[in-house]
Structure formats: structure tokens, C-alpha cells
Amino acid sequence: MDNTFCISRDDFIKKIRPFIGKNIVKILSGIRRCGKSVMLRLIQQELLVNGVENANILAMNFDTFEDNTSQSPEALYAIIKQKAQAAKGKVYVFLDEIQVLPGWEKLVNSCFTELNADIYVSGSNSQMLSPEYATYLGGRYVMFTVYPFSFKEAVSAFKLYGKNLAPKEAFAHYLVYGGMPFIYQLNFDDFSIRQYLRDIADSILLKDITARYNIRDVELLKRIILFLFSNIGNMFSTVSIQNYLKRDKRNLSWETIHNYIDHCKTACLLLPVKQESISGKQLLKAAEKIYITDHGLREAIYGNNRNDISQVLENIVYLELLRNDYNVTVGKAGLNEIDFIARKNNETVYIQVAYLLASPETIEREFSVYARVTDNFPKYVLSLDEFDMSRNGIKHINIVDFLTSGQGVYI
């Protein structure tokens, strides 16, 4: 059994626990190797602890040879039906990486409507429930996004594998290598970590993007991904990508560039953030930033996480907000930009992210962006500084404290 099974991802389990055993399909979506399979096993463990018999649990992984697409949905349904008929009471069905199975949505719907089954599905595709798929399930599902380790989970992983690091040292590692669970078993070996992360990136590129969308010019797709990796946290446009490609005498249409980016989003690799006007409170068309689901992949493919620390810190904070179920946009206030406007449960919080507040000019720049914000919702500046520089009602917090204490403490 994978040792990551021993790391309790409590924040996620708390979200899914109210739905365990309920008459609704549970769907887990997320990038490859982020821990979806482990989450399914943690749910199975919870079932066993609560008295469910092992004979009532059926788990299949479609990313392996044994359970791959060589079996039709009809054949798989027959297997599940046999299990359900033999079980005493409800059968608990776990279908891992099911997106590779053509017709999976019909299989799930049949199990849901015809069998006494509690169904859990995972996949590396953010659009598993596109309109045609959702039609089959008729709204009888709940969706959860699984992300790589948060910094808090990374610290737990360090301890599990015998590395009781000081917060600064742990964060220095996390900043470079990210949160893909398996890397914490690699004993800080830089070569092995980078090789593993490159292999993940290749799998996403080849299986989840190139093969799925029948892309022929893989090298051109790689160039676009490299450009976006280098520009996380920056506003981007198709024109900037076209200009980037023209340096190598390559041309690509506006539509194709957008398609490639959408494919990367669907593969859970890239995360878009819309920009909104502070004054009008409306989203601005064609204004978008891109972040990456795991900044360790950026280091493995592009490098420079230490040099581009401000961008990477933004990425880390953004992922932390998503993990805590915030709806996030970028704020536009005149000529200034507020890194994140995060909303949940009718509450709003404004967050500005900086590396260090190392000069009066930097302090003024980071705090003054709130001058045009007239509401009374909380406003924060996050940085790696250890001294509290809060002023004018704007709270300054050290980023490591923000991540380890849990951002819910502040909001």
C-alpha cells in the first residue's frame, strides 16, 4: 500500500463525509497523481471503521492494465451487479480514473439507478460532467476537486518520513518542489524529484491532452505550456503568445491557441482567474490570469521557482484559497491590481501577495492598492517578512503563518 495512505487529508475528508452512504454519486476530479486514489482509499478506510464489511466494497482502477478499457461498460456493469447481488446490504463502488473508459457515464447511471450502490468516481478531467454527461446523472451527483498537498499537508508528510523540519526549511522545499504527494518519499533527492515531476507532466501532455484531443504538433503545444508556466500570475493574451511563437517563426491562430489552453485547463493543469472591476463589480471580458495546479511541475519543466518567488508565492496562496472553497477573482482598481478577491458564504476578503516588504516604496505599493476599496471587508497583505507591518486597518500576515494556521483563522 502507498504510504501516502497514512497521511490523513482531514480537510478533504470533512467535505465528503456528509455525503458518504447517501444516495448521490460522489465525483473526485483533479490533476494526475495529486492523491485522488489515496482519497478513495481513505474513504474506504472510513467505511471499514464504521462497520461496513470488506465484501461490500468494490474498487477498480482504470489507469491499470487489469481494469483498463479492454472491458466494456456492459461487462463492468455485470461485474458490479454480481457484487451487489452477493453483498448483504449496500455495495460501495469506487471507480478510479474512469475518464479513460468510453461510456463511463452510462455505467455510473445504471449502477446508481438499478443497484443498491453508493458510488465514488475519480478522474483527471475538470469537465467530467460536461452537459452531455451531466444529463445521464440528472443532477444526482456532487463534485469535489482534489489538489496536491497544501503546505500543512506537506509538513505532515515530512514528519511521516522522518523529516522534522523547521517551518522555514520545510517551506523552502515546498516553494521549489510543490505538493505532489509521492515526492515526499524521495528523501530530498533533487534528481529523482525532478524526474518524477517531469514524468507526470509528460503523462498529462500525452494522455490527457495530446491523445484525447488528437493534437499532432506536440512540440508547439509544449511551447505554449512553457510560455504559460513562465508567466503564472501575469495577465496574458493570445497576442502575447503569438508574438512569443513568432520569434521561432511559428504561427498559430487565435482559435487554436485558445483551444490548447482550454485543453490544459480541462486536464486540470492550468487554473484561470478572471479579473473584475472594483468600481463596477463586474468581470472584465478577455482579462484573465493563469496559475498552475502544482508549482513543482513548473520547476521541473521551466525552473526558476526561487528566482520567480513572487509569482510562485501568488500561486501557492491562490491554491490555498481554492482548497478552502473560495470563489476567487483578480481585482482591478484604476491602474492598480489587487491580487485576489476571495468570496465565500456572502463574505469577501481582499489579499495582496508580496515576497518581502523591503523598502518604503514596496510597502506603499502593496498597501495603497486598497485605497479605492470602499467596503469594510477584511484586507490583507501577505509576505515572508517576520515583523508585523499592519497599518490603516490592513492586516499584514507572514505567508508561512497564513498557510500553517489555516487561512480560515483570519477570515
Side-chain angles (χ1 to χ4, degrees), residues 228-229 231-237 261 265 270-276 283-292 310-311 313-315 318 322 328-332 336-341 351-353 366:
L228 294 171
F229 276 19
N231 284 281
I232 58 170
N234 296 328
M235 288 292 172
F236 80 96
S237 67
I261 294 173
K265 294 175 185 176
L270 299 177
L271 301 169
V273 189
K274 292 289 187 182
Q275 188 180 57
E276 70 169 77
L283 293 178
L284 301 176
K285 293 182 179 180
E288 191 173 61
K289 282 188 175 183
I290 286 286
Y291 293 97
I292 184 172
S310 294
Q311 292 174 258
L313 290 174
E314 271 191 42
N315 206 105
Y318 176 58
L322 293 185
V328 185
T329 58
V330 175
K332 182 70 173 177
N336 296 320
E337 181 183 281
I338 298 173
D339 289 330
F340 302 119
I341 304 174
I351 295 178
Q352 190 72 2
V353 182
E366 300 299 335

Side-chain angles (χ1 to χ4, degrees), residues 357 383-390 396-398:
L357 303 176
S383 77
L384 289 179
D385 297 279
E386 296 184 3
F387 297 101
D388 188 347
M389 301 184 193
S390 302
H396 171 242
I397 301 172
N398 176 271

Side-chain angles (χ1 to χ4, degrees), residues 305-319:
N305 275 5
R306 289 189 182 92
N307 294 336
D308 299 334
I309 188 169
S310 294
Q311 292 174 258
V312 177
L313 290 174
E314 271 191 42
N315 206 105
I316 290 171
V317 171
Y318 176 58
L319 263 293

Side-chain angles (χ1 to χ4, degrees), residues 117-293:
D118 187 25
I119 303 170
Y120 302 80
V121 174
S122 84
S124 302
N125 188 328
S126 67
Q127 292 185 358
M128 285 183 67
L129 287 177
S130 57
E132 63 270 26
Y133 292 170
T135 298
Y136 286 101
L137 298 180
R140 298 166 297 191
Y141 63 87
V142 60
M143 191 86 159
F144 302 91
T145 301
V146 182
Y147 296 101
F149 280 168
S150 66
F151 179 58
K152 284 175 61 178
E153 291 171 328
V155 170
S156 297
F158 282 131
K159 292 179 180 178
L160 177 66
Y161 297 112
K163 305 291 184 183
N164 194 13
L165 304 179
K168 284 185 180 180
E169 188 178 0
F171 188 71
H173 186 280
Y174 185 76
L175 178 78
V176 175
Y177 299 115
M180 286 298 188
F182 184 73
I183 68 170
Y184 291 86
Q185 301 183 44
L186 298 178
N187 198 32
F188 293 97
D189 184 85
D190 179 79
F191 177 84
S192 299
I193 292 173
R194 290 176 186 273
Q195 182 61 52
Y196 176 71
L197 292 173
R198 282 193 291 268
D199 288 345
I200 293 177
D202 287 343
S203 294
I204 295 169
L205 180 71
L206 296 175
K207 293 182 179 181
D208 299 331
I209 302 176
T210 304
R212 179 179 176 83
Y213 299 103
N214 194 28
I215 294 175
R216 296 182 180 180
D217 196 337
V218 180
E219 184 59 35
L220 193 56
L221 173 63
K222 287 182 178 179
R223 288 174 181 268
I224 293 175
I225 291 175
L226 189 65
F227 175 86
L228 294 171
F229 276 19
S230 68
N231 284 281
I232 58 170
N234 296 328
M235 288 292 172
F236 80 96
S237 67
T238 53
V239 173
S240 61
I241 296 176
Q242 287 174 326
N243 291 337
Y244 165 74
L245 295 175
K246 285 179 181 178
R247 298 173 194 170
D248 296 325
K249 299 181 179 179
R250 302 296 300 269
N251 292 308
L252 204 60
S253 70
W254 176 92
E255 182 179 10
T256 301
I257 291 174
H258 270 274
N259 287 339
Y260 281 4
I261 294 173
D262 283 342
H263 299 337
C264 292
K265 294 175 185 176
T266 302
C268 304
L269 178 63
L270 299 177
L271 301 169
V273 189
K274 292 289 187 182
Q275 188 180 57
E276 70 169 77
S277 168
I278 295 296
S279 58
K281 301 295 184 183
Q282 78 270 9
L283 293 178
L284 301 176
K285 293 182 179 180
E288 191 173 61
K289 282 188 175 183
I290 286 286
Y291 293 97
I292 184 172
T293 305

